[in-house]
Amino acid sequence: MLRQLYIRNFTLIDELDITFKPGFSVITGETGAGKSIILGAIGQILGNRADARMVKAGCDKCVIEAHFDLSNYDMESFFDDNDIDYEPEDCIIRRELKANGKSRAFINDTPVALTTARELGQQLVDIHSQHQNLLLQKEDFQLNVVDIIAHNSQLLNDYRTLFDGYAKAKAALREKEEECEKDRANEDFLRFQADELVTAQLVDGEQEELEQELETLSHAEDIKGALFDADNLLSGDDRCITQSCKTMLSRLSDIGDVYPAIRQVTERIDSAYIELKDIARDISNLAESIDFDPARLTMANERLDTIYTLQKKHHVESVAELIAIRDNLTARLNDITNSEDMLEDMRRQVEDMYRKATEAAARLTESRQEAARHVTEQLLAQMTALGMPNARFEIKFETKELAVDGADRISYMFSANKNVPLEPIAQVASGGEVARVMLSLKAMISGAVKLPTIIFDEIDTGVSGRVAEMMAQIMRQMGQADRQVISITHLPQIAALGTTHYKVEKTDTDDTTISRMRMLGHDERITEIAQMLSGSNISDAAIENAKSLLEK
């Protein structure tokens, strides 16, 4: 749970260092005092998008740091998975925003991506603001509440795995049906293309060999003349290079005994002589192999013309690509021939996957219906306690086509009064009634999910008096089981039931406006609650009333 919050240079806050307590805490303050700023700072810790305008005017950056106690929440795996030091009794999340718009996030002094900070934040704090009451209109929220109460995470994962397989198989079948239908319509053209490529008897690499051969045949006379001249120079007569080299070698060998310094040179000449003889033999063989062959030249040109024509027709640049097209066309023609058998196999697979997904969806529906009964019973009990004894509530189930969340379409049906038919809650519930329903649902969710800290931002809108007191009792009970509940409120009945009371206030200086937050002592709480009861002119009756509320 949240133990400490430190804020520096965030909008109207120059510096704030506040300690939070377990249990049920309340935050009060006049409208505009800066309560939303405190929530905004916590939102930054939870990974909300940063804005350079959040940095206090005239400052380079702002820092927001929150300390959490995680010792009762078994969260070590998150830190192991993200390679972050695990400090259960003092987990620190820090966010730094710069005036140039850049921001950084840290967990236990380890730099992390904002998504990582957000993932951790979602497991630590739930902020329920007034606009979240609109979630009650949304089917996915209503379904999610039931799944949370039913502890359906494993059932949902199992179902989604099966549904994903079914959806992919169904899409593949549809794609193959369309492809086969299109191929059947173009079968004659596909067969003509395939036959043309098969008849060409293409061989990978032959284009390069033919192009080189054509180059050689086209310059056969020049090549043969150059080789003939080189052959003559190397070994053509008694004065050729090899013969001269042999004579020189013989002469120098004769003086080796009397002039040892020449021996190394003689060895080098001997090596050169051997190499020259090999070169002469290779050149002679090459000269004999070169012959102008008009028929072969014509054949190479015709073969290359065939390859170039096919490449141009199919918009490719290599024989390898033509071979790939040929093989693909052959496979498509085989598919056309065997299409019905292949499609029938795919249809059976889709039907089998649909059956398995449907069975998993049915198990999910059964679990949801059981949880829905529990939600209904508990919610009606809460409604009675919250001043709505005639309220009726029902979770209506309808069947829909399989979707990623199952086969259930649900709606929360509600009536606040006797003899009034049930209608979708978003259509008939007042703001105060929605607030009470949402608080009850949050109480149930908090019991099913071990969420350390829940913050209610003026959830009491539209209620007062006894109902407000009962809402506060529910929040106080929520804060008793290793959980921390914080309520931002304007109602004295709720403020009085907090085990800890904080006040946000705004002060003006010569050149700026500053928001501050502090924990109130007992006498300060009496004054604050009395002011909430009677306004700025606090009467003796308001003081006595405040004392009475606190004594409760």
Side-chain angles (χ1 to χ4, degrees), residues 49-183:
R49 184 180 296 275
D51 189 327
R53 290 174 296 182
M54 294 175 176
V55 180
K56 194 172 189 293
C59 299
D60 294 331
K61 73 173 183 178
C62 72
V63 177
I64 305 163
E65 185 174 282
H67 295 246
F68 292 90
D69 183 352
L70 312 181
S71 52
N72 294 324
Y73 300 101
D74 191 23
M75 299 180 65
E76 188 171 2
S77 61
F78 172 87
F79 293 84
D80 290 341
D81 293 343
N82 290 280
D83 196 23
I84 300 170
D85 291 339
Y86 181 52
E87 302 290 346
E89 294 182 358
D90 188 24
C91 173
I92 304 171
I93 305 179
R94 186 170 77 254
R95 188 85 181 273
E96 296 179 359
L97 316 179
K98 293 189 176 181
N100 62 10
K102 295 182 180 180
S103 73
R104 297 191 299 170
F106 302 83
I107 300 176
N108 291 337
D109 289 328
T110 300
V112 296
L114 187 59
T115 52
T116 305
R118 184 179 298 122
E119 183 182 351
L120 177 60
Q122 289 173 348
Q123 299 178 58
L124 297 178
V125 180
D126 174 36
I127 298 179
H128 181 94
S129 58
Q130 290 184 54
H131 76 271
Q132 276 196 310
N133 288 342
L134 298 175
L135 291 174
L136 209 51
Q137 304 174 13
K138 298 183 180 295
E139 179 187 334
D140 56 348
F141 172 79
Q142 297 178 2
L143 192 60
N144 190 43
V145 169
V146 174
D147 281 330
I148 289 173
I149 303 301
H151 299 284
N152 275 343
S153 58
Q154 188 59 53
L155 279 178
L156 267 172
N157 287 338
D158 293 344
Y159 166 76
R160 283 171 177 160
T161 299
L162 292 169
F163 176 77
D164 184 57
Y166 160 67
K168 288 178 179 176
K170 186 178 179 182
L173 172 62
R174 187 183 306 112
E175 183 179 347
K176 183 58 71 174
E177 286 175 336
E178 292 172 356
E179 182 183 313
C180 288
E181 184 179 350
K182 184 178 179 181
D183 285 350

Side-chain angles (χ1 to χ4, degrees), residues 23 28 189 223 439 486 532:
T28 61
F189 178 62
I223 295 169
L439 176 61
I486 301 171
M532 295 172 73

Side-chain angles (χ1 to χ4, degrees), residues 280-536:
R281 185 166 50 252
D282 290 344
I283 288 177
S284 179
N285 291 337
L286 288 171
E288 290 178 5
S289 69
I290 297 296
D291 192 14
F292 179 68
D293 185 348
R296 181 61 186 170
L297 180 63
T298 300
M299 187 281 295
N301 271 316
E302 290 176 350
R303 182 61 174 166
L304 283 171
D305 284 344
T306 298
I307 292 172
Y308 293 152
T309 299
L310 289 171
Q311 287 175 346
K312 185 176 181 181
K313 179 182 291 187
H314 293 282
H315 307 289
V316 295
E317 297 180 355
S318 70
V319 171
E321 291 172 296
L322 287 173
I323 291 172
I325 292 171
R326 179 199 66 194
D327 293 344
N328 178 260
L329 287 168
T330 301
R332 290 172 68 181
L333 288 167
N334 288 335
D335 285 349
I336 292 173
T337 303
N338 304 313
S339 60
E340 279 310 314
D341 290 340
M342 178 182 61
L343 290 173
E344 191 57 37
D345 285 342
M346 293 182 72
R347 291 185 187 108
R348 280 195 293 269
Q349 289 179 6
V350 170
E351 289 172 1
D352 183 57
M353 290 182 174
Y354 177 77
R355 176 183 57 78
K356 291 178 179 177
T358 300
E359 291 172 354
R363 291 192 291 271
L364 199 54
T365 298
E366 183 179 359
S367 175
R368 286 168 172 171
Q369 289 176 340
E370 177 62 31
R373 286 190 286 272
H374 176 72
V375 171
T376 300
E377 292 171 3
Q378 195 165 344
L379 192 67
L380 288 174
Q382 293 277 35
M383 290 296 95
T384 299
L386 289 172
M388 300 171 64
N390 298 317
R392 287 181 296 142
F393 179 83
E394 178 183 304
I395 299 179
K396 179 181 176 183
F397 278 77
E398 296 176 304
T399 302
K400 66 178 182 182
E401 289 294 322
L402 290 186
V404 70
D405 57 0
D408 302 311
R409 177 180 291 110
I410 73 170
S411 52
Y412 288 3
M413 309 298 287
F414 179 78
S415 173
N417 302 301
K418 291 180 179 180
N419 301 321
V420 176
L422 291 166
E423 297 285 348
I425 191 167
Q427 298 178 16
V428 297
S430 66
E433 290 165 348
V434 167
R436 281 175 269 182
V437 171
M438 284 299 291
L439 176 61
S440 300
L441 290 175
K442 286 280 183 175
M444 279 186 273
I445 292 171
S446 69
V449 179
K450 207 170 184 182
L451 190 67
T453 299
I454 302 174
I455 300 176
F456 290 106
D457 182 16
E458 299 184 6
I459 195 173
D460 48 41
T461 300
V463 301
S464 60
R466 176 66 178 166
V467 172
E469 184 179 334
M470 293 309 301
M471 291 179 72
Q473 291 285 6
I474 291 173
M475 288 186 276
R476 187 170 176 132
Q477 290 169 9
M478 290 170 63
Q480 290 176 353
D482 285 331
R483 194 178 299 111
Q484 179 183 52
V485 177
I486 301 171
S487 176
I488 297 174
T489 183
H490 287 292
L491 297 181
Q493 294 86 352
I494 290 179
L497 279 172
T499 53
T500 310
H501 190 154
Y502 302 89
K503 181 176 181 179
V504 178
E505 48 198 354
K506 185 168 61 176
T507 58
D508 293 322
T509 65
D510 292 339
D511 54 357
T512 188
T513 299
I514 298 174
S515 283
R516 300 196 182 282
M517 178 176 171
R518 59 191 178 89
M519 186 188 303
L520 300 182
H522 181 72
D523 291 343
E524 291 174 310
R525 289 192 71 182
I526 293 174
T527 302
E528 174 68 7
I529 293 171
Q531 189 171 14
M532 295 172 73
L533 287 165
S534 65
S536 56

Side-chain angles (χ1 to χ4, degrees), residues 153-294:
S153 58
Q154 188 59 53
L155 279 178
L156 267 172
N157 287 338
D158 293 344
Y159 166 76
R160 283 171 177 160
T161 299
L162 292 169
F163 176 77
D164 184 57
Y166 160 67
K168 288 178 179 176
K170 186 178 179 182
L173 172 62
R174 187 183 306 112
E175 183 179 347
K176 183 58 71 174
E177 286 175 336
E178 292 172 356
E179 182 183 313
C180 288
E181 184 179 350
K182 184 178 179 181
D183 285 350
R184 279 192 291 269
N186 297 322
E187 182 176 2
D188 291 342
F189 178 62
L190 293 175
R191 196 169 297 283
F192 167 76
Q193 287 185 310
D195 289 345
E196 188 178 42
L197 289 170
V198 170
T199 302
Q201 295 183 321
L202 299 166
V203 178
D204 191 14
E206 68 170 320
Q207 179 181 350
E208 293 76 11
E209 293 178 4
L210 285 168
E211 288 172 341
Q212 182 58 58
E213 183 180 5
L214 185 62
E215 192 73 20
T216 300
L217 290 171
S218 300
H219 299 86
E221 292 186 8
D222 294 338
I223 295 169
K224 195 170 185 69
L227 291 172
F228 180 76
D229 290 344
D231 186 38
N232 277 337
L233 287 169
L234 284 167
S235 56
D237 54 37
D238 292 341
R239 301 183 67 181
C240 67
I241 294 173
T242 53
Q243 188 59 43
S244 297
C245 188
K246 182 178 180 183
T247 302
M248 178 174 53
L249 182 63
S250 177
R251 291 286 292 127
L252 293 176
S253 295
D254 291 342
I255 65 173
D257 291 337
V258 297
Y259 185 49
I262 202 64
R263 290 175 183 171
Q264 188 175 9
V265 174
T266 302
E267 291 174 359
R268 292 168 63 191
I269 293 172
D270 186 40
S271 297
Y273 173 62
I274 294 170
E275 181 68 15
L276 284 170
K277 285 199 302 181
D278 287 343
I279 292 171
R281 185 166 50 252
D282 290 344
I283 288 177
S284 179
N285 291 337
L286 288 171
E288 290 178 5
S289 69
I290 297 296
D291 192 14
F292 179 68
D293 185 348

